[in-house]
Amino acid sequence: SLTRLPAEIGELNKLINLFLSSNQLDSLPIEIGKIRNLQKLSLAINCFDNITDSIGSLRDLRYLNLNKNKFKNVPPAIQLLTSLESLYLKYNQLDSLPKEIGNLKNLTILGLDDNRLRSLPKELVNLTKLKSLELSKNPLYNVPAEVWKLKELLYLTLNNDSLSNLPAQIGEMDKLSNLSLNNNQFKSLPKEIGKLKNLKILGLANNQLTALPAEMAGLDNLKTLNLKGNLIQEPEKERIKKLLPKCKV
């Protein structure tokens, strides 16, 4: 297992992909910023709690994986990586995101599962290309309003977040194809969920639901509906199956 990288790594100026996952690294040499052609960098499963500012020089970087480290804050230099398309920060100790996250306007995937986030910055709405947002296992209690303004989202996970209320704005996310709300505290769903015409997979397992709104009959493309671990009685289950005859319930 690596514990450090030599400064000479900066001489690999034609390197495009660098994968350093599952080591014991806690720092990078400043020379990392010289690898200007780098497009993919994985530092997952290491011991980082910060990262050198020189990483901000990697302006061609498209993919950055910082999963399973010790970050309590998003490293400031990341805001300079405006070519980033995929950013993974899962399984860290983040309790907030900087407003500068909104500078990453080419992001299509943002992975934030298993952190300590209670809110999101309003600048998140600048991520107009975002297709996938993973926010499971955060103490959110309410879905931040900024999420509902991300109209290009296809994939949204909010599992294990202590959520009990889904606002009517969910109906405006009409491009969503996969919505995962498992292991929360929902007792009911808004009728507007029936407007998600492109939804294919809906996870609602382990909540406190007793019924679903009749408007869900409009989910013509729904293929899979997970209702395990709710309070739905047999007559309601039969009604749901009739509402969604093409869906596996």
Side-chain angles (χ1 to χ4, degrees), residues 26 46-50 66-73 90-94 115:
D26 61 7
N46 276 286
C47 304
F48 291 98
D49 60 10
N50 206 339
L66 299 174
N67 289 345
K68 289 192 177 182
N69 278 283
K70 299 178 180 181
F71 291 106
K72 294 183 178 180
N73 298 291
K90 302 179 187 181
Y91 313 109
N92 280 287
Q93 301 169 35
L94 303 175
N115 278 285

Side-chain angles (χ1 to χ4, degrees), residues 130-132 152-156 175-179 199:
L130 202 63
K131 305 290 186 187
S132 175
E152 297 299 311
L153 274 188
L154 303 176
Y155 183 91
L156 176 61
K175 293 188 178 181
L176 270 184
S177 65
N178 189 324
L179 175 60
L199 200 61

Side-chain angles (χ1 to χ4, degrees), residues 41-126:
L41 174 60
S42 180
L43 300 171
I45 319 176
N46 276 286
C47 304
F48 291 98
D49 60 10
N50 206 339
I51 204 165
T52 176
D53 286 345
S54 67
I55 200 174
S57 299
L58 304 177
R59 300 303 173 89
D60 286 340
L61 203 64
R62 305 283 194 273
Y63 171 98
L64 178 59
N65 190 336
L66 299 174
N67 289 345
K68 289 192 177 182
N69 278 283
K70 299 178 180 181
F71 291 106
K72 294 183 178 180
N73 298 291
V74 177
I78 288 179
Q79 67 180 281
L80 301 175
L81 303 177
T82 53
S83 294
L84 266 187
E85 297 172 359
S86 302
L87 174 59
Y88 294 95
L89 286 158
K90 302 179 187 181
Y91 313 109
N92 280 287
Q93 301 169 35
L94 303 175
D95 56 18
S96 65
L97 294 181
K99 64 181 182 179
E100 289 81 10
I101 198 83
N103 294 347
L104 306 180
K105 295 182 180 180
N106 286 302
L107 269 191
T108 60
I109 298 173
L110 180 56
L112 295 166
D113 289 347
D114 214 331
N115 278 285
R116 300 173 181 175
L117 298 171
R118 294 180 181 275
S119 62
L120 298 174
K122 65 180 186 298
E123 289 79 9
L124 196 75
V125 302
N126 294 334

Side-chain angles (χ1 to χ4, degrees), residues 175-190:
K175 293 188 178 181
L176 270 184
S177 65
N178 189 324
L179 175 60
S180 194
L181 300 168
N182 300 312
N183 302 303
N184 282 290
Q185 299 173 27
F186 294 111
K187 294 182 178 180
S188 64
L189 298 176

